[in-house]
Each structure stands twice: as C-alpha cells, then as structure tokens.
Amino acid sequence: MIAWLNAAMLLVATVIFLLFYVRSVSPAGREKIIGPRAYQLCFYNRLAAGALEFVITANYILYYFFPLPTPLPDKFPWDWWISLVIALVIGIPSTTLMVLGVVHAGEETMRPKKEHKMYAGIYTKLRHPQAVGEVFLFWVIAFLLHSPFLALFSFIYFPIFIVICYAEEQDLLLRYGDAYADYC
C-alpha cells in the first residue's frame, strides 16, 4: 500500500512541479495579464517548484524502501559501487553546469526582476545550463539508490525540462525582444 501511495505522490508531485516551474519562468507574459506583481508571484512559484523537487527526492528515497511490484529487479545487477561511479560521472558535470548557471544568473535564479539584464558567463555558451544540469540529477539519485525503476522513471524529466525551457524562452523573448532572439 505504501509503495502505491508513494508512486502516486511521485507522479502528482512531478506534474505539479512542472506547473509551478512553468509559471515561475513566465513573469513577462504574466505581467501582461496581472501587472507588476507577476514577478513576485514567479518568485513564489519558483519556491514551490523547489519544494516539490524535495518532495520528489523524498519519493525517490521512499521508493528504495517500498518499491512497486514490477517485473524490474529492485536493484541493478551490478554492485552498488558501480552505480556510485555512474552517479559521479553524471553528477559532477551536471552539478557543475547547474552551479555555474546559478552563479552567472545571480539573483534572477530565484527572483525574476523586470530590470534584469541578459546573462553572461556560461550563458554565452549554453542557453539553459541550470536546466541541463538539473535534469540529470534525477538519474544521480536513481543510481545512488541503485534502482532500475527510478532510472527509467527519470526519463520523464527530459520532456518536462524541454517544456520548461520552451516556456522560459518565450518569456525571455517578451522581456528582451530582438536582443534575445539574436542571442538564440
């Protein structure tokens, strides 16, 4: 029973995470509808999306203790230390990209502001370093937990982050216009 409740919560948290994250990257579009308070609401949506990532991580950990009865084995057929190496190979560059994106985006990472200037640093090489880094961290958790099911489930975050990046790009085009189009 706990396994099914946890799996349901994982799915629900993932969908709600997508909704809050898309809302958090759309301040310019929302400003046209609700006015300047859109930027503050996007900040709250970003906080909610972050909280949901913690819920998703907790669901992953609970899955380790309460796996669903699936045809997949509960653990990978190799020793855990191999999963650890895979997690490190994925996690080190992913975390590096994400941290560089956070540092170079500055306060805009969490709190969008209308007067923010376009990015520099890692953003001159990659448009979405935070998203590229973040999407792979779900696999890091899955491999650290040595779970084939979670590794397969983590594929769901690719289309989710594509939708998030698309929504953010549409909003950045509203905010920065031709300058952002040229950057793209």
Side-chain angles (χ1 to χ4, degrees):
M1 181 68 160
I2 293 174
W4 289 104
L5 288 173
N6 183 54
M9 183 63 180
L10 176 59
L11 285 170
V12 168
T14 297
V15 170
I16 297 172
F17 162 76
L18 169 63
L19 297 174
F20 274 109
Y21 213 127
V22 166
R23 290 177 61 85
S24 81
V25 298
S26 305
R30 292 175 71 189
E31 182 183 33
K32 290 180 181 263
I33 299 166
I34 64 172
R37 70 187 176 110
Y39 285 84
Q40 185 66 24
L41 290 175
C42 286
F43 166 67
Y44 294 133
N45 291 149
R46 188 84 43 99
L47 288 176
L52 285 160
E53 284 184 297
F54 282 108
V55 170
I56 290 166
T57 300
N59 292 132
Y60 269 51
I61 293 167
L62 276 173
Y63 187 89
Y64 176 80
F65 296 104
F66 302 100
L68 288 174
T70 67
L72 291 172
D74 289 343
K75 297 179 182 351
F76 286 111
W78 53 77
D79 291 335
W80 178 80
W81 69 268
I82 295 173
S83 287
L84 173 63
V85 170
I86 293 168
L88 290 172
V89 167
I90 297 169
I92 291 171
S94 295
T95 303
T96 302
L97 266 180
M98 192 173 73
V99 168
L100 282 173
V102 167
V103 168
H104 295 160
E107 190 179 3
E108 180 82 3
T109 295
M110 283 304 294
R111 188 179 294 272
K113 292 185 174 180
K114 187 173 185 168
E115 64 276 1
H116 192 270
K117 293 183 174 45
M118 282 182 50
Y119 306 121
I122 188 72
Y123 287 90
T124 62
K125 306 285 184 213
L126 184 63
R127 289 200 318 242
H128 299 283
Q130 293 178 61
V132 171
E134 197 172 347
V135 71
F136 287 102
L137 294 181
F138 293 101
W139 270 286
V140 171
I141 299 166
F143 280 104
L144 287 175
L145 294 171
H146 204 50
S147 172
F149 174 83
L150 292 174
L152 287 174
F153 183 82
S154 295
F155 277 101
I156 196 170
Y157 295 103
F158 268 115
I160 285 173
F161 274 89
I162 288 170
V163 168
I164 290 167
C165 290
Y166 178 79
E168 183 176 31
E169 290 207 344
Q170 297 309 303
D171 199 74
L172 291 170
L173 284 167
L174 284 174
R175 284 170 78 180
Y176 301 115
D178 291 338
Y180 189 76
D182 292 343
Y183 164 75
C184 288

